[in-house]
Amino acid sequence: MKDICITVFGDSIAYGAWDKDKGGWVSRLRSMLETNTDNFLHVYNLAIPGETSTGVNTQFNYEYGYRHHHLFHNIIIFAIGINDSLVGFGKNSVPREIFQKNIESLIEKAQKYTNKVIFVGLTRVDEDIIPQNLESSVYTETFINTEINEYDHILKITCDKHKIKYIDVQDILKTDELSDGLHPNEIGHQKLADKIYETIIEYI
């Protein structure tokens, strides 16, 4: 039996938004691990709705430093990027070059604590629900799949460059599994948990 410490940094999807049944994929992942392994689990969900790679990069050392234990089997999961791609007034919330630098920085910081670092890729939105016409919409910001694809590609190639595990979830969710066009419903969160579990179990 081992002490397993899993720490998740992410956005509202990792936080568990719209999963009124079990609180999101992180909570579901913990339940699956508790059911299927004999290890003692410490799971910290530090996801924040609206979070970007810049925010995680800023808070990482402070937040993770309090939770890291050198005798534990430590795994760090990052599930960020979709808010970086957010488009408003013709530009992204976090420019692509800054996003890549943030990912590079997070990899460097995380690897000082553990070699078990995982990045979850970006899911797509339902563009029939998410506002697209910025000029006529009351919204000033929106999500566009072509932009999400670009940020997901940056994430993947950066992980590949540093030999970091990247979990592709690009096409895992159907549009009817998105509660508001962005956040998964209970079925969507379970599908994410199932996919991430496949990787996590290899690290334990």
Side-chain angles (χ1 to χ4, degrees):
M1 179 177 289
K2 295 180 289 188
D3 280 292
I4 309 293
C5 182
I6 301 173
T7 307
V8 180
F9 292 87
D11 49 32
S12 56
I13 297 176
Y15 175 79
W18 288 93
D19 183 356
K20 299 177 182 179
D21 184 15
K22 294 185 178 179
W25 67 256
V26 176
S27 177
R28 291 169 180 267
L29 176 65
R30 176 175 184 163
S31 295
M32 294 168 69
L33 290 169
E34 288 176 336
T35 300
N36 297 308
T37 69
D38 294 325
N39 298 297
F40 188 76
L41 289 172
H42 309 258
V43 179
Y44 301 106
N45 188 352
L46 303 184
I48 300 173
E51 187 64 288
T52 66
S53 63
T54 298
V56 175
N57 193 39
T58 299
Q59 69 165 331
F60 177 79
N61 283 335
Y62 175 81
E63 293 290 352
Y64 189 72
Y66 279 105
R67 293 166 176 85
H68 174 76
H69 196 296
H70 71 282
L71 295 180
F72 288 1
H73 191 80
N74 295 287
I75 302 171
I76 300 174
I77 302 176
F78 295 104
I80 51 171
I82 196 166
N83 290 319
D84 297 67
S85 77
L86 188 66
V87 177
F89 303 105
K91 62 181 181 179
N92 300 105
S93 175
V94 176
R96 296 176 189 178
E97 62 275 14
I98 301 299
F99 175 66
Q100 182 167 358
K101 289 180 180 178
N102 285 339
I103 300 303
E104 298 262 5
S105 176
L106 286 171
I107 290 172
E108 181 181 359
K109 290 176 179 178
Q111 286 186 319
K112 292 179 180 178
Y113 293 101
T114 178
N115 61 356
K116 296 175 177 61
V117 180
I118 299 169
F119 280 82
V120 179
L122 279 59
T123 53
R124 304 300 174 266
V125 300
D126 182 353
E127 293 184 345
D128 290 333
I129 298 178
I130 298 292
Q132 295 299 309
N133 190 334
L134 300 185
E135 294 182 359
S136 62
S137 173
V138 296
Y139 294 88
T140 58
E141 298 176 308
T142 194
F143 296 95
I144 303 172
N145 282 326
T146 54
E147 292 298 318
I148 293 172
N149 291 342
E150 290 294 331
Y151 279 72
D152 193 40
H153 179 66
I154 292 171
L155 181 60
K156 183 181 185 305
I157 62 174
T158 305
C159 287
D160 288 346
K161 174 183 175 183
H162 294 277
K163 295 180 172 54
I164 297 295
K165 182 63 179 180
Y166 158 88
I167 302 177
D168 185 358
V169 295
Q170 177 175 351
D171 299 315
I172 198 171
L173 302 178
K174 299 177 182 178
T175 55
D176 62 359
E177 294 165 350
L178 297 169
S179 292
D180 57 355
L182 169 64
H183 300 95
N185 60 17
E186 288 84 356
I187 295 173
H189 275 287
Q190 185 59 54
K191 290 174 79 170
L192 287 171
D194 290 340
K195 182 70 173 181
I196 296 165
Y197 175 84
E198 294 174 3
T199 295
I200 289 292
I201 203 68
E202 298 175 1
Y203 279 61
I204 293 176

